[in-house]
Amino acid sequence: MELCVKNCSIKNGDFSIDCDFNLKQGNHLAFFGPSGTGKSSVLLGLAGFLPIKKGELFYGNKSLLSLEPKDRPIDILFQENNLFPHISVSQNIVLGLGPNAKMTKGNRDLVYKILKKVNLYEERDRLPENISGGQRSRVAIARSLLRKKPILLLDEPFSALDFVLKAEILKLLIAISRKENLSIILVSHDPRDVKFLGGDVLLFSDRGKTEFFRKDIFLNKFSKNLEI
């Protein structure tokens, strides 16, 4: 399967951004460029929260343009983890199944399995305020993984973390991606993220344009200027 973004124009208010790329299942792609160049707008367009004014968006041979966000094979993790402070880690995660999801025996088994994947099983009954920032990020990841969407969009969800901790979480995500054939698109303006993610790059300019690069070409062309 492959996500195909063909000559798409995504509109966010008065701003429009054009993009064109393919992402094979299980591969990684970084959206890289300065703030305000449309990286998050493209994510929101792919996920169905902003309109795609022209172009085509396919997953496999199926168009996604008419699908509501919940029906797309895509999940998005935003900068804010959006955890509910008054309920436990486990209860926050089960809400990935829906706003009215209950901790039935079957759902508990699913949640505990995900908790073990992200190394949070021992924290399952704690409140978000009683765990670290890195652990809260992993709770948000676990909630996304529970939805079992094949494509995960990351809108700088780890930007508040130092790079060592962020790298640890990215390493965990990459391991999960390889095991479960999960595609990842990561928004970043930190060149270290691009290198760490190890995928291709969609470079954003301040003119509402994007340019696709294979990883090795991008690193060879820009590594000196970006101090990667």
Side-chain angles (χ1 to χ4, degrees):
M1 298 287 278
E2 186 173 36
L3 180 69
C4 179
V5 182
K6 186 175 182 181
N7 299 319
C8 283
S9 180
I10 297 166
K11 188 172 178 61
N12 189 352
D14 295 330
F15 177 78
S16 291
I17 181 77
D18 298 326
C19 57
D20 188 288
F21 65 88
N22 290 356
L23 180 65
K24 291 184 178 179
Q25 192 61 47
N27 286 2
H28 307 151
L29 178 67
F31 285 3
F32 181 76
S35 297
T37 51
K39 302 183 298 297
S40 294
S41 294
V42 173
L43 282 198
L44 291 171
L46 298 179
F49 297 110
L50 282 178
I52 295 179
K53 292 299 186 180
K54 67 176 183 180
E56 297 289 345
L57 178 63
F58 284 91
Y59 180 64
N61 59 3
K62 183 177 182 179
S63 175
L64 305 182
L65 291 180
S66 63
L67 298 182
E68 294 293 321
K70 65 181 179 62
D71 298 321
R72 297 191 181 195
I74 294 170
D75 196 38
I76 184 168
L77 198 56
F78 295 102
Q79 290 183 359
E80 300 83 13
N81 292 322
N82 294 326
L83 303 183
F84 293 98
H86 62 287
I87 60 176
S88 71
V89 165
S90 293
Q91 291 168 321
N92 266 285
I93 292 172
V94 80
L95 293 178
L97 297 174
N100 299 314
K102 304 297 183 184
M103 193 65 81
T104 63
K105 183 182 184 305
N107 286 346
R108 183 181 294 107
D109 290 344
L110 290 173
V111 168
Y112 284 4
K113 184 177 180 181
I114 294 290
L115 280 166
K116 290 174 182 176
K117 281 184 183 178
V118 298
N119 301 320
L120 283 177
Y121 183 76
E122 297 300 323
E123 285 71 38
R124 62 192 182 278
D125 295 324
R126 300 176 70 181
L127 295 177
E129 65 180 12
N130 296 325
I131 60 177
S132 69
Q135 288 172 326
R136 287 193 290 272
S137 293
R138 282 188 272 158
V139 174
I141 290 169
R143 189 168 56 192
S144 286
L145 293 176
L146 194 63
R147 297 186 184 109
K148 296 185 177 179
K149 299 293 185 77
I151 303 167
L152 179 60
L153 311 181
L154 302 172
D155 190 8
E156 296 191 278
F158 319 127
S159 58
L161 305 177
D162 64 62
F163 184 74
V164 173
L165 189 52
K166 181 167 61 170
E168 178 184 313
I169 294 174
L170 283 174
K171 184 178 179 181
L172 172 67
L173 268 175
I174 291 168
I176 292 170
S177 168
R178 289 171 178 163
K179 185 175 181 180
E180 302 189 5
N181 207 28
L182 175 70
S183 300
I184 296 174
I185 298 178
L186 171 69
V187 163
S188 180
H189 55 263
D190 187 337
R192 295 173 298 180
D193 294 346
V194 175
K195 185 174 181 181
F196 199 94
L197 189 64
D200 298 325
V201 179
L202 193 67
L203 182 65
F204 286 68
S205 74
D206 58 5
R207 301 181 302 277
K209 302 292 183 182
T210 60
E211 187 175 1
F212 180 82
F213 290 92
R214 294 296 177 192
K215 176 195 172 186
D216 54 345
I217 295 174
F218 178 83
L219 293 178
N220 288 337
K221 187 171 182 177
F222 295 101
S223 59
K224 183 176 180 179
N225 292 337
L226 298 173
E227 298 182 355
I228 294 179

